[in-house]
Amino acid sequence: MSNTDFTIFSSTQLREFTTEVFVHFDVPYDDAILAADVLAYSDEHGIDSHGIARLKTYFDLLRTGKINPKPEIKIIREKSSTATIDGDNGLGLVVGPKCMDIAIQKAKLHGSGWVSVCNTNHYGAAGYYPVMALKDDIIGLSMTNTTKGVAPFNGAEKMLGTNPLAIAFPAYKEPPIIIDLASSAVAYGKVEIADRKNEKIPEGWCIDKNGYSTTMPSEMINGGALLPLGSDKDGSGHKGYCLASMVDILSAVLSGANWGPFTVPFAINSALPEKQVGKGIGHFFGAWEIDGFRDKNEFKTNIDEWIHTMRNTLPRPGTSGVLIPGDPEREAYQLRMRDGIPLHKEVVNSLMDIASYTGINIPS
Amino acid sequence: MSNTDFTIFSSTQLREFTTEVFVHFDVPYDDAILAADVLAYSDEHGIDSHGIARLKTYFDLLRTGKINPKPEIKIIREKSSTATIDGDNGLGLVVGPKCMDIAIQKAKLHGSGWVSVCNTNHYGAAGYYPVMALKDDIIGLSMTNTTKGVAPFNGAEKMLGTNPLAIAFPAYKEPPIIIDLASSAVAYGKVEIADRKNEKIPEGWCIDKNGYSTTMPSEMINGGALLPLGSDKDGSGHKGYCLASMVDILSAVLSGANWGPFTVPFAINSALPEKQVGKGIGHFFGAWEIDGFRDKNEFKTNIDEWIHTMRNTLPRPGTSGVLIPGDPEREAYQLRMRDGIPLHKEVVNSLMDIASYTGINIPS
């Protein structure tokens, strides 16, 4: 891919366009701003797979009436530190932040807050949600289940999603620690990129449609599956399967959403699961107030020391040494807020399609 | 290792011996029974590394006065759904269950309960604790930090422990789902076994003292390190590092225990860290009452369906197919409660040493 495949946009341009597109489909203005903020978080932090590159899919779902633009989210069960919420089939980008906020409010009152969510849709990057909690010195956590793409350990077919887990810890003088990881060995996007470039992929990423390990991206794409984190027996692939299961159960079985292979797909042209076992997909949000455990300033000062200690690890030869979770995204943020956000021509084309359908121009 | 290397004991024999040894060192009788139960859980479920094979280390620590046999555990900070507890340098096998119980009681009152623990010691198998919660239809979670043994991603030295995470979900007619995983690619015990057998280990388990990948167990043992789950760049080793960091911070930074490379070692003859940054090691316990989110019978019925669905996954060629987390331990339990628990002669010798020191005989 040459540089001419990319066009640079400012974050403000993308936020304005995204907001207007959501408003066009009757999403209330404040909700549209919020949804645009969730997508912009990804684009600004270099998480290209979860930002405006996906606007076209949200657009398709709104255009065809598959997502409710004006959801009334409802608490359907509650105790002081827990709740289950029905997202009324709204945008995950709107339902997600509102539910995370309820978890945060509960943590302020009771030390911790936990919200499971059913009847919702794709919520963007998992890392957005714990970051919401940082300003209140709260440790935030988020999980979501996603459409099947990953084989369970020793399985030969897709049964679970890439089911991510994110958690963030505030520091004092240092930037926060932000963990955001999918429970698969790699993201599907990496396989797609290798396929486009006609390159092989490493052992341990994928199996083909018969369950054999493959290094050919096309063999995964045509009926194969991703492998869980840890990949195979030697690498402890059962652990990635366990993590994906945990995320699936907390997000979807606990909330009454669709789980495992029945999880509703995100893209509009994907095959629907053979049956529904719940409502929509599921998220799970958590919040722990640090002051419920330890003086928050002591904690944050200790986190600074923890960060310094890890940064001072002897580096492995041939590497740039140990990073702190969140470092790569912070580096991308600084570059992109200064130089702009490069969008691949395929993404730009998808925005042009949206612009021509809605009559909304990308601001210049 | 031939069969003659092993002697068979009944679980009752081991429980009685363990209890008497703890009582010998002034552990109150009820606490000794509890500690023996935690160790027996591992032996009965085939988790040989965390059962009576470690009694000699607890013995050494009690004999030399390094562990307080009569801890008075103290809540040092509390909100309705959270607490931090000082374990008064007691046996983790006693402090752990008592703190997990506080998390469970909080969940019954407030929907969830969270307890971070400092000034404690090794607590046995992480999976014991969530299993405690199952009888009350509570989802339990446990984590602990452990002595350094694992290099952070791109690091060339030990900085974190194998920091495990365990969580369990009750089912209706099916046995529960019990997840218990270390955040390293493999356990140190696997490297030791390969070394004893003079066998090579797979790529991705270890690095040598200079940070280079090695397949020679001795090169890890002599100043090298284990690798995190995911192993290397291709396998997403940064994810295992993120998980180990999460466990370290929730268990130790949040509670005020020693964290990262400063975590106190378990074995008495291990080198002490260069400084102390807190008190003892740290645990983190959690409990969510299912009824705080969803009708518990609906949840458990859904978990049964989840289990059936995963079991029905097409198996990968050459494997026995998809298991449910907890299956291998259940299978071991059935065999061992019928046929007894085989102990390696090295373990038996360590028990004989304890017997000769204390005058307590292994019951016949």
Side-chain angles (χ1 to χ4, degrees):
Chain A
M1 285 179 285
S2 73
N3 281 337
T4 57
D5 286 345
F6 289 87
T7 312
I8 307 290
F9 295 86
S10 75
S11 175
T12 313
Q13 283 176 294
L14 300 182
R15 281 172 180 266
E16 285 181 13
F17 180 69
T18 308
T19 304
E20 285 193 55
V21 170
F22 286 138
V23 167
H24 177 91
F25 289 108
D26 290 336
V27 174
Y29 183 71
D30 287 350
D31 286 357
I33 291 268
L34 184 58
D37 189 56
V38 181
L39 289 186
Y41 171 87
S42 287
D43 291 311
E44 292 168 0
H45 289 85
I47 311 165
D48 291 329
S49 53
H50 285 62
I52 202 160
R54 289 193 168 170
L55 183 61
K56 180 63 165 55
T57 305
Y58 295 107
F59 163 86
D60 286 339
L61 293 165
L62 285 163
R63 182 178 52 81
T64 54
K66 295 217 158 58
I67 280 185
N68 177 1
K70 294 181 174 171
E72 293 182 26
I73 70 169
K74 255 197 315 271
I75 295 184
I76 51 179
R77 193 175 269 250
E78 189 170 25
K79 289 197 87 171
S80 58
S81 76
T82 63
T84 294
I85 289 175
D86 184 317
D88 198 18
N89 192 31
L91 282 166
L93 308 172
V94 171
V95 174
K98 291 185 178 183
C99 292
M100 181 68 201
D101 196 54
I102 292 170
I104 291 170
Q105 298 313 320
K106 283 180 174 288
K108 288 182 184 174
L109 290 171
H110 308 291
S112 80
W114 300 90
V115 177
S116 74
V117 192
C118 68
N119 205 9
T120 178
N121 294 282
H122 197 279
Y123 78 172
Y128 178 86
Y129 301 95
V131 168
M132 284 175 62
L134 289 174
K135 65 178 186 308
D136 293 315
D137 289 323
I138 283 174
I139 298 167
L141 183 145
S142 102
M143 306 180 189
T144 186
N145 75 340
T146 64
T147 320
K148 67 177 182 178
V150 183
F153 181 63
N154 281 349
E157 56 179 326
K158 296 171 181 170
M159 296 295 276
L160 289 159
T162 52
N163 299 1
L165 161 70
I167 186 168
F169 302 99
Y172 180 50
K173 293 189 179 171
E174 293 292 325
I177 298 171
I178 303 170
I179 291 170
D180 180 357
L181 57 95
S183 52
S184 51
V186 293
Y188 178 62
K190 287 199 177 181
V191 182
E192 270 186 319
I193 289 170
D195 188 53
R196 223 178 285 148
K197 293 185 182 173
N198 233 341
E199 287 175 358
K200 286 196 174 186
I201 51 176
E203 288 275 354
W205 284 16
C206 299
I207 51 176
D208 68 16
K209 65 180 177 189
N210 298 313
Y212 291 100
S213 181
T214 180
T215 57
M216 299 298 297
S218 60
E219 292 189 340
M220 182 268 147
I221 291 167
N222 297 311
L226 296 171
L227 285 169
L229 176 60
S231 302
D232 51 19
K233 186 158 183 281
D234 281 344
S236 297
H238 66 284
K239 296 183 182 180
Y241 161 49
C242 283
L243 290 171
S245 301
M246 175 183 81
V247 172
D248 193 44
I249 292 169
L250 289 173
S251 303
V253 182
L254 194 58
S255 67
N258 289 292
W259 42 261
F262 309 115
T263 310
V264 191
F266 178 48
I268 200 165
N269 50 0
S270 300
L272 282 173
E274 57 181 278
K275 63 174 177 179
Q276 296 220 356
V277 295
K279 290 159 93 175
I281 68 165
H283 313 314
F284 190 62
F285 298 107
W288 291 288
E289 195 187 37
I290 292 167
D291 263 337
F293 295 98
R294 194 178 179 194
D295 175 82
K296 65 187 177 190
N297 291 320
E298 273 179 38
F299 175 85
K300 292 196 287 184
T301 308
N302 260 223
I303 289 288
D304 277 4
E305 287 176 52
W306 191 97
I307 289 171
H308 300 155
T309 303
M310 289 301 151
R311 281 209 200 285
N312 283 331
T313 306
L314 279 175
R316 275 188 82 174
T319 75
S320 50
V322 172
L323 298 179
I324 301 303
D327 277 351
E329 293 78 13
R330 268 187 291 276
E331 197 182 319
Y333 182 81
Q334 281 173 354
L335 288 175
R336 288 179 173 206
M337 294 314 274
R338 190 190 69 193
D339 303 337
I341 295 163
L343 296 186
H344 188 264
K345 65 182 178 192
E346 284 183 16
V347 175
V348 176
N349 287 342
S350 75
L351 301 186
M352 294 304 177
D353 286 349
I354 297 171
S356 106
Y357 180 94
T358 59
I360 299 164
N361 291 320
I362 304 179
S364 55
Chain B
M1 287 180 284
S2 74
N3 280 337
T4 58
D5 286 343
F6 290 87
T7 311
I8 306 290
F9 294 87
S10 75
S11 175
T12 312
Q13 283 176 294
L14 301 183
R15 282 173 180 265
E16 286 181 13
F17 180 69
T18 308
T19 303
E20 286 192 54
V21 170
F22 286 137
V23 167
H24 177 90
F25 288 107
D26 292 334
V27 175
Y29 183 72
D30 287 350
D31 286 358
I33 291 269
L34 183 59
D37 189 56
V38 181
L39 289 187
Y41 171 87
S42 286
D43 291 312
E44 292 169 359
H45 289 85
I47 311 165
D48 291 329
S49 53
H50 285 62
I52 201 159
R54 290 193 168 170
L55 183 60
K56 180 63 166 53
T57 306
Y58 295 107
F59 163 85
D60 285 340
L61 293 166
L62 285 163
R63 183 176 53 79
T64 54
K66 295 215 160 59
I67 281 186
N68 177 2
K70 293 180 175 170
E72 292 181 27
I73 69 169
K74 255 198 315 271
I75 295 184
I76 51 181
R77 193 174 268 251
E78 188 170 24
K79 290 197 87 171
S80 59
S81 75
T82 63
T84 293
I85 289 175
D86 184 316
D88 198 19
N89 191 31
L91 281 165
L93 308 171
V94 171
V95 175
K98 291 184 178 181
C99 292
M100 182 68 202
D101 197 53
I102 292 170
I104 291 170
Q105 298 313 320
K106 283 180 175 289
K108 287 182 185 174
L109 291 170
H110 307 290
S112 80
W114 299 91
V115 176
S116 73
V117 192
C118 67
N119 204 10
T120 178
N121 294 282
H122 197 279
Y123 78 172
Y128 179 86
Y129 301 94
V131 169
M132 284 174 64
L134 288 174
K135 65 178 186 308
D136 292 315
D137 289 323
I138 282 175
I139 299 167
L141 182 145
S142 103
M143 305 178 189
T144 187
N145 75 339
T146 65
T147 320
K148 67 178 181 177
V150 183
F153 181 64
N154 281 351
E157 57 179 326
K158 297 171 179 171
M159 296 295 277
L160 290 160
T162 52
N163 299 1
L165 161 71
I167 186 168
F169 302 98
Y172 181 51
K173 295 188 177 169
E174 293 292 326
I177 297 171
I178 302 170
I179 291 170
D180 180 357
L181 59 95
S183 52
S184 52
V186 294
Y188 178 62
K190 287 198 178 182
V191 183
E192 269 186 319
I193 290 169
D195 188 52
R196 222 178 284 147
K197 293 184 181 172
N198 233 341
E199 287 175 359
K200 286 197 174 184
I201 51 175
E203 288 275 355
W205 285 15
C206 300
I207 51 175
D208 68 15
K209 64 181 177 190
N210 298 313
Y212 291 100
S213 181
T214 179
T215 58
M216 299 298 297
S218 59
E219 292 190 340
M220 182 267 146
I221 291 168
N222 298 310
L226 296 171
L227 285 170
L229 176 61
S231 301
D232 52 19
K233 186 157 183 276
D234 281 345
S236 297
H238 66 284
K239 296 183 183 181
Y241 161 50
C242 284
L243 291 171
S245 301
M246 173 183 81
V247 173
D248 193 44
I249 292 169
L250 289 174
S251 302
V253 182
L254 195 57
S255 68
N258 289 290
W259 41 261
F262 310 115
T263 310
V264 191
F266 178 46
I268 199 166
N269 51 0
S270 299
L272 284 174
E274 58 180 277
K275 64 174 178 178
Q276 296 221 356
V277 294
K279 292 161 92 176
I281 68 166
H283 313 314
F284 190 62
F285 298 107
W288 290 288
E289 194 185 38
I290 292 167
D291 264 335
F293 295 99
R294 192 176 180 194
D295 174 82
K296 64 186 178 190
N297 292 321
E298 272 179 37
F299 175 85
K300 292 197 287 183
T301 308
N302 260 223
I303 289 288
D304 277 3
E305 287 175 54
W306 190 98
I307 290 171
H308 301 155
T309 303
M310 289 302 150
R311 281 207 200 288
N312 283 333
T313 306
L314 278 176
R316 273 188 83 172
T319 75
S320 50
V322 172
L323 298 178
I324 302 304
D327 277 352
E329 293 79 13
R330 268 187 292 275
E331 197 181 320
Y333 182 82
Q334 282 174 353
L335 287 175
R336 289 179 170 204
M337 295 313 274
R338 191 190 69 192
D339 303 337
I341 295 163
L343 296 186
H344 188 265
K345 64 182 178 192
E346 283 181 18
V347 175
V348 176
N349 288 341
S350 75
L351 301 186
M352 293 305 178
D353 287 349
I354 297 172
S356 104
Y357 180 95
T358 58
I360 299 164
N361 292 317
I362 304 179
S364 56

